[in-house]
Amino acid sequence: MTGSAARRGRPRDAARDRALLDATLAVLGESGYGGLTTAAVAARAGVSTATLYRRWPSKEFLVVDAATAYAQELTASVDTGTLEGDLRALLRDKAASLTGKEGGVLRSLIAEGAHNAPLAEALTNAFVLPVRRRMEEIAQRAVDRGEISPVEHADLLGDLVIGPMMSRFFLTPLPPDEVDAGSAAETADRLLPFLIRAVGGKGSH
């Protein structure tokens, strides 16, 4: 047995890992980053803190992995067959990620990332870059279908999604009835015609 294998011991339990990541997101949503403790996460997941520390050496590593897993579920690319459909799906996904419990988690992480460089880098990799890549893919598919002309500086298109969404849901005071799932989807749909025009499309609006 190698030294590395000896340190690893038994294979990790994927279900337990997932339970700990889910518990991390739940505690983040309730208490924010500052109020999150490994003891609270372990208790929520029904495991000992020793079990948690065998997987993650610190609270920061745990939160980064939880944020990454969470973001992967929100940024899966969808090919609807049209530029308008692809953009609508992306806008609605982002609106959902910035509202409700999901939005609370992201707010906590962004606030902490302002003075935590490793977490800020993780947030960029987990939340910002996937949106930029997805927008580039959407634009390229639209070009291939003949819906739009090639877009110059396509790497900047993702910011046309992130910027307005952050401004609307994080920087603008909104009443509670405007930040639920239904209202978030309506906001995404209102932004859709502007984004379609920005990439050179016509759409049905």
Side-chain angles (χ1 to χ4, degrees):
M1 180 180 292
T2 67
S4 176
R7 285 194 298 272
R8 286 198 302 268
R10 292 180 299 176
R12 282 173 55 160
D13 182 341
R16 185 167 291 177
D17 285 1
R18 183 67 205 198
L20 282 162
L21 293 176
D22 288 344
T24 301
L25 294 175
V27 175
L28 270 172
E30 295 170 359
S31 307
Y33 185 90
L36 181 145
T37 65
T38 53
V41 171
R44 176 69 67 96
V47 303
S48 67
T49 53
T51 296
L52 186 153
Y53 281 120
R54 281 197 293 270
R55 290 160 165 76
W56 292 279
S58 70
K59 163 181 166 175
E60 182 177 275
F61 281 100
L62 173 64
V63 168
V64 165
D65 276 4
T68 300
Y70 160 76
Q72 287 173 345
E73 295 176 358
L74 295 173
T75 54
S77 184
V78 176
D79 184 354
T80 68
T82 67
L83 172 65
E84 183 173 354
D86 287 353
L87 292 177
R88 178 182 289 108
L90 173 58
L91 285 169
R92 288 187 172 186
D93 283 354
K94 291 311 298 176
S97 74
L98 297 179
T99 54
K101 292 182 179 179
E102 292 84 357
V105 169
L106 192 52
R107 283 175 185 272
S108 295
L109 296 177
I110 290 174
E112 176 63 21
H115 49 84
N116 184 323
L119 182 58
E121 182 179 0
L123 286 173
T124 298
N125 292 334
F127 290 94
V128 177
L129 296 184
V131 175
R132 290 175 177 167
R133 287 193 294 268
R134 187 168 166 183
M135 270 301 299
E136 288 187 78
E137 292 168 1
I138 288 172
Q140 187 57 55
R141 286 199 299 266
V143 170
D144 294 342
R145 288 191 295 257
E147 292 181 271
I148 62 174
S149 300
V151 180
E152 189 175 5
H153 305 305
D155 58 307
L156 299 178
L157 291 177
D159 293 344
L160 298 180
V161 175
I162 298 168
M165 286 291 185
M166 293 289 286
S167 174
R168 181 68 179 174
F169 294 116
F170 278 14
L171 302 179
T172 304
L174 295 172
D177 62 351
E178 289 192 30
V179 292
D180 61 17
S183 297
E186 290 177 8
T187 297
D189 290 347
R190 289 200 299 270
L191 287 170
L192 177 60
F194 298 99
L195 188 55
I196 290 174
R197 290 197 292 270
V199 298
K202 296 181 180 179
S204 60
H205 291 70

